[in-house]
Each structure stands twice: as C-alpha cells, then as structure tokens.
Amino acid sequence: MKNLIYIDTFPHYVKSKELISHINNESTFFTTNRKIYDKINNINKLYVNPKNLLRLAFLILHIRKNEFFSICVARTDALVFQLLFKFCAFKEVYTFDEGLYTINKHSIYNSQFKIERSYHTRLYLLNRILNFPIPAAYFYKKNSKHYTWFSKSAFSNSIIDKFKIIDLNKPPLKKNKKLKIMIGQPWHYMISDSHIKKLFKFINISEFNIYLEHPREKLHLYESLINEQISILRVNPSSEEFLRYLDQNNVEIYSLTSTLVCNVPDNFSIFIINIDKSKKRLIYDQENLYLALSGMNKTFQKINL
C-alpha cells in the first residue's frame, strides 16, 4: 500500500522525514514548494505549482491510478491538500502536528466545523455552493492516526481522539555535544561553483549545527545544497555580537576568510578552511587572516578540502 505525505513548509518537511519510519505504507512526498522538492533525495516525490491547475489535475489522475491508500498532512486547511483529499479517494487520513495550533482549542483545526463569512467571504460562498473547501476541524475528527511530538497530556483541549495519538520517540540528547558554526560569506564572489558545491558537501557531512548567513550572501543561489538539519541564522544587526554572547565551551567556528573569527571568545576553537586551487585573492585574504590571528595570540587549525 502507498501513502502520500503532503508538505508545503520546511518545518513540516523536517518533521515528516521522522514520520516515514512510523508509517507502514510506502511513502511519497507531495509538495507545492519548489525548494523543498529540490531538497528531497532518495524517496519518491511529486511537485506542483498551486497556480498550475492543469498539472494538478494530471497529478490527481496519477495518484488515483496508482491507488494511494492514505495521505498524511499537517495543514488540513491547505486548499491543494483538500483537492487531493476530495478527488483521490484515500482510505485513511493521518495528521501530524501543526505547531501549537494542534493543541489550541481555539485554532481552526480544533474549532472550525463550518466556514463562517467572518473567516473568509470567498471561501464561505464556495463552501455554501460547492461544499468545498472543507472546514479544517473535520480532519481531526476524520483522521485514523495523529503523530505528535507533544506529550499526550497536552491534548486535553484538542478534539483528536486520544486513542489515535501516536507519541513519536524523541532521540536522547547528547551530552557535551560540540556546537559547530559555519560562517557564511558571499561565496559567488569568492569561489567557483564547483568549489561552492565542494564546500557545502563538507558542511553537510561534518554535522554543523548553525550556518551563519552573511548580509551580502545570496544564499538563495545555493540554499538547496544545505542539509535541512542545519539551522540557517540571519543575525541582525551583528553576527559578531551574536558570537560574543554565545560564550560557552565546546564551540567550534569555521571560516574561509571572515574576520569574525578574530573577535570570538577565547574558548572557541577556530578552523580555517583551505580549498585547493583557490583564487589568488582568496589565498591573499587567508594569509592576512593567519597573520591577524597569530598577532592576537589566537590558536587555529587549518582544514584542507
């Protein structure tokens, strides 16, 4: 049997990857977000631009033909999901957490049993004429299972049947785990496309926790290369200030040429990444950074890619 997982945001994508091992049916991701689609690897996936109704109709026919047994969703009010539900004849619906809205008794997921004009006039009229869209709370009553990262006691005000709740196991926290931070820079000015791919491959396999985005960095050009488990931080107004306040043990900070490493707390471990066959300007900037760090009596290590 086959299962469809509907996702349209990155947080839902990250959560849904944990669901796969708990769902017995073979799963396929269905997304309306192109960036998410590009990130999905080693699993079946489908994508549609919500404005492309012809493509959506084709995918609905494809899903019906392949006889998907179930669909799994967080945002039950999403119109594309509701179209899939209406026309694809799924036997079961599985839901998973939509943040605090899942356990808030006043959210539409727990309280919207009919669409009121005050909620949305156009949707209200459509519902009156076509009985579509479907009120969001319908699915918390209809679902066969609900997967959650909350404790079951948090569902005291939710309409979800408590016997349908599946509490997902949380991995134990690692004690004294190092915090690894990569300092972003405007790579498209500094290194070639092949070197950018090489750098992000290193970032992904090295289990970084944080990628600190540079203000002039065009991250959208290569954001799809970053493992979604790595948190991307856009710090305002100053990354330097952020790092100074992050004064703790077991912090490793990595850079190519950023002078931010000159001002981090002394207990940080500093690593400078050298990429083979770099541009002369990059080599020159790195040599100046070595001199600056040495002049400040800061120890650092070099990593060659």
Side-chain angles (χ1 to χ4, degrees):
M1 293 188 291
K2 298 178 181 179
N3 173 67
L4 197 69
I5 302 178
Y6 177 86
I7 45 175
D8 52 9
T9 71
F10 273 100
H12 292 149
Y13 169 52
V14 173
K15 290 290 188 184
S16 64
K17 289 207 306 178
E18 297 181 39
L19 292 176
I20 292 176
S21 60
H22 297 271
I23 298 175
N24 294 328
N25 305 337
E26 177 190 350
S27 290
T28 295
F29 282 116
F30 186 107
T31 183
T32 55
N33 186 313
R34 183 71 202 196
K35 289 183 178 180
I36 293 176
Y37 179 81
D38 291 339
K39 270 186 173 289
I40 298 172
N41 294 308
N42 303 320
I43 191 169
N44 296 329
K45 58 183 180 178
L46 298 170
Y47 164 76
V48 66
N49 183 323
K51 297 179 181 179
N52 190 338
L53 298 181
L54 185 62
R55 169 69 176 168
L56 179 58
F58 171 81
L59 288 178
I60 287 172
L61 292 174
H62 169 79
I63 292 166
R64 288 176 62 92
K65 181 180 178 181
N66 284 274
E67 298 182 345
F68 278 76
F69 176 80
S70 56
I71 186 167
C72 187
V73 63
R75 287 189 58 236
T76 61
D77 58 322
L79 292 180
V80 173
F81 154 71
Q82 292 207 4
L83 287 168
L84 293 172
F85 173 79
K86 188 173 182 67
F87 293 109
C88 292
F90 298 106
K91 300 292 189 300
E92 292 188 354
V93 175
Y94 309 143
T95 53
F96 65 98
D97 292 340
E98 166 56 348
L100 292 174
Y101 295 116
T102 295
I103 56 177
N104 183 342
K105 66 179 180 180
H106 299 299
S107 76
I108 61 172
Y109 303 103
N110 284 301
S111 64
Q112 189 190 68
F113 294 97
K114 62 179 181 177
I115 298 176
E116 304 285 356
R117 185 188 290 270
S118 58
Y119 172 71
H120 195 293
T121 300
R122 188 180 301 171
L123 296 182
Y124 164 79
L125 293 173
L126 280 172
N127 178 263
R128 294 281 290 181
I129 298 168
L130 302 174
N131 201 27
F132 183 90
I134 303 164
Y138 167 84
F139 296 97
Y140 274 8
K141 286 290 190 181
K142 172 77 174 177
N143 63 3
S144 303
K145 300 175 184 177
H146 180 84
Y147 297 94
T148 184
W149 288 263
F150 295 112
S151 65
K152 288 188 178 181
S153 60
F155 286 81
S156 58
N157 292 319
S158 173
I159 63 172
I160 298 173
D161 186 330
K162 307 306 180 286
F163 293 102
K164 296 178 180 178
I165 295 172
I166 299 175
D167 189 1
L168 298 181
N169 294 323
K170 301 176 179 67
L173 295 174
K174 296 181 181 179
K175 294 183 179 179
N176 301 319
K177 184 180 179 182
K178 289 176 179 165
L179 179 64
K180 299 178 74 169
I181 302 173
M182 179 69 201
I183 298 178
Q185 293 185 253
W187 308 121
H188 55 291
Y189 293 129
M190 299 170 57
I191 55 180
S192 65
D193 288 344
S194 61
H195 281 170
I196 289 174
K197 291 178 180 178
K198 190 174 185 179
L199 174 63
F200 279 99
K201 183 178 180 180
F202 165 76
I203 292 170
N204 290 335
I205 65 175
S206 300
E207 298 185 344
F208 278 84
N209 308 100
I210 294 174
Y211 183 92
L212 201 55
E213 185 179 350
H214 189 278
R216 292 189 293 110
E217 185 175 3
K218 294 183 179 179
L219 191 58
H220 66 277
L221 296 176
Y222 35 84
E223 191 169 7
S224 62
L225 300 176
I226 304 177
N227 189 314
E228 61 273 1
Q229 301 294 337
I230 300 172
S231 298
I232 300 172
L233 295 188
R234 299 168 175 87
V235 181
N236 188 24
S238 169
S239 296
E240 186 175 316
E241 210 165 318
F242 165 76
L243 292 171
R244 278 206 305 268
Y245 282 118
L246 197 67
D247 189 1
Q248 65 179 70
N249 295 321
N250 291 329
V251 176
E252 294 183 355
I253 190 156
Y254 293 73
S255 175
L256 265 68
T257 63
S258 175
T259 56
L260 278 178
V261 297
C262 296
N263 299 307
V264 299
D266 291 336
N267 56 349
F268 280 24
S269 298
I270 300 172
F271 296 86
I272 307 300
I273 300 170
N274 297 315
I275 301 180
D276 187 38
K277 297 180 181 178
S278 293
K279 296 178 182 179
K280 290 182 179 179
R281 176 69 191 189
L282 179 62
I283 296 171
Y284 173 79
D285 289 342
Q286 284 192 322
E287 288 174 349
N288 283 333
L289 183 59
Y290 301 152
L291 289 173
L293 289 169
S294 299
M296 300 172 72
N297 295 318
K298 286 186 174 287
T299 57
F300 61 93
Q301 298 178 48
K302 298 178 184 178
I303 296 177
N304 296 315
L305 297 188

